[in-house]
Amino acid sequence: MTIRYPNGKKFIPVQQTKLPKKSNPTFSNRGKSLEDELNETNEYYLSRQLAVIHKKPVPIQIVNVKYPARSAAVITEAYFKTPSTTDYNGVYNGIHLDFEAKETKNSTSFPLQNIHEHQMTHMKNVCVHGGLSFFIIKFTILDRYFLISYDSFEKYWVRMIEGGRKSVTIAEFEKDAIELKPGFNPRLDFLPALPKLH
Amino acid sequence: MTIRYPNGKKFIPVQQTKLPKKSNPTFSNRGKSLEDELNETNEYYLSRQLAVIHKKPVPIQIVNVKYPARSAAVITEAYFKTPSTTDYNGVYNGIHLDFEAKETKNSTSFPLQNIHEHQMTHMKNVCVHGGLSFFIIKFTILDRYFLISYDSFEKYWVRMIEGGRKSVTIAEFEKDAIELKPGFNPRLDFLPALPKLH
């Protein structure tokens, strides 16, 4: 599917090169959303038969649909629903993977308000049933990425519930998470981190 | 969460007892859609901590969203996308599950036009990576349910591609699938069939 040009660069189709909003065009790939980076990575994994991981569609409450003659059904009224599970799941090496990906513009800590309580419950359930559940957190301004297991993350959630701080600091990620280094292809190679999770 | 009344029947909230369209109200549960039956079953499994299985949201291409002041964002134009994976997935006893559920009004065979080629590809990939992939097929008129592994189903798909019949007969399901008997709670207990899959 991909064509390599003589300069060694991979051909990237137009729809993937469009600049995302608020990007800094002086740094290649900077400003690409974490979702785009993970989708590219998962496509790479699938094409190399390394893992089968997909992003779930955004949950929508459909209220009205029109069926025009001779053309596709049009949804004319719908609302976003709060997700009750995580964004991504799949299977890797016989292991069920289930993870949430979040980015923050904060450069000192990750605000826990980005996570819903039912997502935490869901991730805990996944662990109980033998799946592997984790977060990938991107600090966009720092251009740093961390992968942290649900088990390691949970104590910060509990700390907040018990009245403590409402975020997880960079230093805490450095201690409890695995830092991922973005690359070219795959963009964000997270599979090698999984066996190191605790 | 559930209250048992003195007559031993479980309290079922109103939204679960509403009659689906085209139902035959003289038979309890008859006419309930397979999706409703599986959602109830998966809720039961989750509440008893037996498995974590969710239906994926329907994939939608969002074209227009309005943001009215002081109220929720409204999607005013969107289209249904062809799903590239299956409807359901989750984790059970450490095993990644991935399955497609389909019902047919045909009473002699299941038409293969109900399945998309990329769904077959996806299910094959899931098997390659150590997940368990299968179909649950409901013959609505017969009120019969079959669970068939991807591996057993694949030969009928291949038969169609090679120019053979475009459906799988009831006799073939009787030979290759496990018949599920609908019950009260869980409505369609499919987990016990999984260890018997071949």
Side-chain angles (χ1 to χ4, degrees):
Chain A
M1 289 289 283
T2 58
I3 298 160
R4 288 189 182 277
Y5 285 104
N7 61 5
K9 284 201 183 164
K10 195 185 139 228
F11 168 71
I12 298 172
V14 175
Q15 72 272 24
Q16 289 184 30
T17 53
K18 69 171 182 213
L19 289 175
K21 301 148 206 157
K22 297 163 196 163
S23 73
N24 180 346
T26 59
F27 295 89
S28 72
N29 275 322
R30 271 252 183 143
K32 202 172 252 193
S33 77
L34 180 57
E35 178 177 334
D36 285 344
E37 293 176 298
L38 286 171
N39 287 345
E40 282 176 32
T41 302
N42 291 335
E43 277 174 35
Y44 173 92
Y45 287 155
L46 186 60
S47 68
R48 303 308 195 273
Q49 283 288 336
L50 295 169
V52 183
I53 303 166
H54 289 277
K55 184 175 188 298
K56 285 190 199 173
V58 177
I60 302 284
Q61 178 74 47
I62 297 171
V63 176
N64 255 309
V65 184
K66 279 187 187 162
Y67 300 90
R70 292 160 194 267
S71 58
V74 190
I75 298 160
T76 55
E77 187 184 354
Y79 298 89
F80 294 100
K81 291 199 290 187
T82 308
S84 56
T85 62
T86 48
D87 280 348
Y88 297 87
N89 72 11
V91 59
Y92 163 59
N93 203 13
I95 302 163
H96 174 84
L97 304 182
D98 205 299
F99 62 101
E100 187 65 26
K102 291 286 183 199
E103 51 191 1
T104 179
K105 286 173 186 154
N106 195 308
S107 55
T108 54
S109 65
F110 173 73
L112 288 167
Q113 69 194 24
N114 283 316
I115 309 292
H116 301 291
E117 188 177 353
H118 39 257
Q119 289 179 319
M120 292 295 286
T121 306
H122 169 73
M123 293 174 85
K124 193 184 187 86
N125 284 333
V126 166
C127 294
V128 166
H129 291 276
L132 196 57
S133 205
F134 54 91
F135 294 87
I136 295 178
I137 308 289
K138 176 181 181 180
F139 289 89
T140 49
I141 290 167
L142 306 176
D143 204 25
R144 293 183 72 180
Y145 303 73
F146 294 97
L147 189 152
I148 184 167
S149 70
Y150 171 81
D151 282 345
S152 295
F153 191 86
E154 191 186 34
K155 62 176 170 291
Y156 300 114
W157 184 264
V158 170
R159 178 174 69 184
M160 176 187 71
I161 288 176
E162 291 176 346
R165 67 176 296 150
K166 294 183 174 63
S167 64
V168 183
T169 66
I170 288 277
E172 287 166 340
F173 279 107
E174 287 170 342
K175 181 166 68 70
D176 283 337
I178 294 166
E179 185 158 5
L180 302 175
K181 295 293 180 189
F184 181 63
N185 204 2
R187 174 63 187 153
L188 194 60
D189 197 12
F190 60 88
L191 291 181
L194 302 184
K196 301 175 205 160
L197 282 186
H198 48 83
Chain B
M1 290 289 284
T2 59
I3 297 159
R4 286 189 182 277
Y5 284 105
N7 62 5
K9 286 202 182 163
K10 195 186 142 226
F11 168 72
I12 298 172
V14 174
Q15 72 272 23
Q16 289 184 30
T17 53
K18 70 172 180 213
L19 289 175
K21 301 149 207 157
K22 297 167 197 162
S23 73
N24 178 347
T26 59
F27 295 88
S28 72
N29 275 323
R30 272 252 182 142
K32 202 171 249 191
S33 77
L34 179 58
E35 178 176 332
D36 285 344
E37 294 175 298
L38 285 170
N39 288 346
E40 283 176 32
T41 302
N42 291 334
E43 277 174 34
Y44 173 92
Y45 288 154
L46 187 60
S47 68
R48 302 311 194 271
Q49 284 288 336
L50 296 169
V52 183
I53 303 167
H54 289 276
K55 184 176 188 296
K56 286 191 199 173
V58 177
I60 302 284
Q61 179 74 45
I62 297 171
V63 177
N64 254 310
V65 184
K66 279 187 187 160
Y67 299 90
R70 292 160 193 266
S71 58
V74 190
I75 298 160
T76 55
E77 187 185 354
Y79 298 89
F80 294 99
K81 291 199 289 188
T82 307
S84 56
T85 63
T86 49
D87 281 349
Y88 297 87
N89 71 12
V91 61
Y92 163 59
N93 202 14
I95 302 164
H96 174 83
L97 304 183
D98 205 300
F99 62 100
E100 186 65 25
K102 290 286 183 200
E103 51 191 359
T104 179
K105 285 174 187 153
N106 195 309
S107 56
T108 54
S109 66
F110 174 74
L112 288 166
Q113 69 193 25
N114 283 316
I115 310 293
H116 301 291
E117 187 176 354
H118 38 258
Q119 289 179 319
M120 292 294 288
T121 306
H122 169 72
M123 293 174 86
K124 193 184 187 85
N125 284 333
V126 166
C127 294
V128 166
H129 291 275
L132 196 56
S133 204
F134 55 90
F135 294 88
I136 295 179
I137 307 290
K138 177 181 181 180
F139 289 88
T140 51
I141 289 168
L142 306 175
D143 205 26
R144 293 183 73 180
Y145 302 73
F146 293 97
L147 190 153
I148 185 168
S149 69
Y150 172 82
D151 282 346
S152 295
F153 191 86
E154 193 186 34
K155 61 176 170 290
Y156 300 113
W157 184 263
V158 171
R159 178 174 69 184
M160 177 187 70
I161 288 175
E162 290 176 347
R165 67 175 297 150
K166 295 184 173 64
S167 64
V168 183
T169 66
I170 289 277
E172 287 166 341
F173 279 107
E174 286 170 343
K175 181 166 67 73
D176 283 337
I178 294 166
E179 185 157 4
L180 303 175
K181 295 293 179 188
F184 182 62
N185 205 3
R187 173 63 186 153
L188 194 62
D189 197 13
F190 60 87
L191 290 181
L194 300 184
K196 301 175 206 160
L197 281 186
H198 49 84

